[in-house]
Amino acid sequence: MNQTAPTDSLTPHDSSTATQPPQSEKVSVDIEQVRVDDDPRQWSRTRKTITLWIVSVATMVSTMSSNIQTSSDLLVARDLHATTAQISWTLSVHILVQGNCPLLWSIASEMAGRKPVYIIASVIFIIGGILAAISRTLAMFLAMRALQAAGSSTFLAISAATLADIYEPHERGTMMRLFYAAPLLGPALAPVLGGTLSNIFGWRANFYCLAGSGALVLAAMIFLFKDTFRRERSLTYQTAVKYRVGKHDKSNVTNATSGVANQTRKASKEKVSQPGHENNVREGAETKSSPATDVKLSLADVNPFPQMWQVIQRRNNLLILWANAGLVFAFNYSLSYTCARVLAIQYHYDPLQIGIILLILGAGTIFGSIVGGRWSDHVVAKLKQQNGGEWYPEMRLHSAKPAMLWLPVFVIGYGWAAEKRLNVELNGVMLFFTGFFAIWIYASTLAYLVDANPGRSCFAVAMNSSFRGTLAFVATEVVVPWQEALGVGGMYTVFAGVLIIMELLILLVMYEGASWREKCVAAEAANGANE
């Protein structure tokens, strides 16, 4: 029996619609399908590919900044007269800032557009890299790493939303994984690049390299990138317009050009969404402009907390956020750090050798992203056919099942191979498949967050960054004590247990998320109707 596809559509189906006057008949339109000028989803394949490459490379540089110093931590500690614990703070603070700043960048991008935010963030990233390179004290180095993280966080925050701007939902599975193949090169190449530069020029060369890479990204954003943001498709922007127009109505402020306040009132009712109306943002979509869309907004008109709350109050979102953060980022970030420590202390590897081993982990994540993407599209197509051609976001999560089965096995295998100091080749195999299956799951859950939050995907991705950055901060601070108390094998056995719990959360959303999401949509609609 086919399952009825969940939908966020709030179009009424009862007899009450018949009481509406014929002249006011409206057509409800999914916010992602609202017609816009120069629709990014209608761009040529070449233009879309250029956009994909620019944001992918930018995110790759961003992720390189997270662990380019990993293979040369001992050199940094020696030069700045710091302890291992103090150096771990530079990593922890970087990822904490990088995870939580996207909330601010997301708001800015929903008001000013993607391109201006990318440009400003690139400048901050460049400045942070240069000042980190010339730091002579641990305090200055820590502060500049935080500044660099603030700039790099932009690309992590809004790149996925940029792809949502230009690709239809059914295309996002493949494109998200193609997108993540490039940024995953960052963590893969950074230790090798950092180790090579450190051996030849010293650890400071790592940060000059990041600054130079940031300059190339800045040039691409200025001269090649075309803004993908369209305010008609942004719930954040439309809600802010509604708030601004409502304030003017209550104050009886008339528009000098239109001369009639009722026109503004009518626009606010018919063109702008109520909070939580994901698929009814624009009614009467044949009209391409309205007084509401001409309202000039600023950041002062945006209160991000309702948007953030609407993302995390949905149970399906909240569980996936925990699973996303726990499954991959916190785990993978601490994996790279602890692996580097094991190779330096137990195997006496130099920075370049450490980087080469970590490159194997990165290669696994890249292959996992590509293979997982193809499998995801296959599973979604099959489930869609079984469901009478209807598609809904939770279908994508089913593609993660094979990876969920094998990930804990390879995590435990790597931990005990390292604990027993077995040959490095075996460690490399375990690391490869750990990265392979981890990113397979992560890409599926991230694509689900985008698909399940139409009109506020930027906030959903930003909340994901906040969760993973905060948990990665915690993980980085606890892994060294865990490693010393439990050993490498014991620590990764604990990690495997945590991953199994996270996988159970994904399974719960897989089978119950659709009904939870529908209930939240209905509740948001009811609250909006009462306002």
Side-chain angles (χ1 to χ4, degrees), residues 17 43 139 200 227 241 288 294 310 379 395 451 467 527:
T17 57
W43 286 351
I200 299 175
D227 206 335
V241 169
K288 298 192 69 173
D294 294 330
Q310 286 184 344
V379 170
M395 284 183 177
D451 292 339
F467 269 68
N527 291 336

Side-chain angles (χ1 to χ4, degrees), residues 337-349:
Y337 179 52
T338 55
C339 180
R341 290 187 80 245
V342 169
L343 292 172
I345 297 172
Q346 297 186 192
Y347 291 84
H348 307 291
Y349 274 21

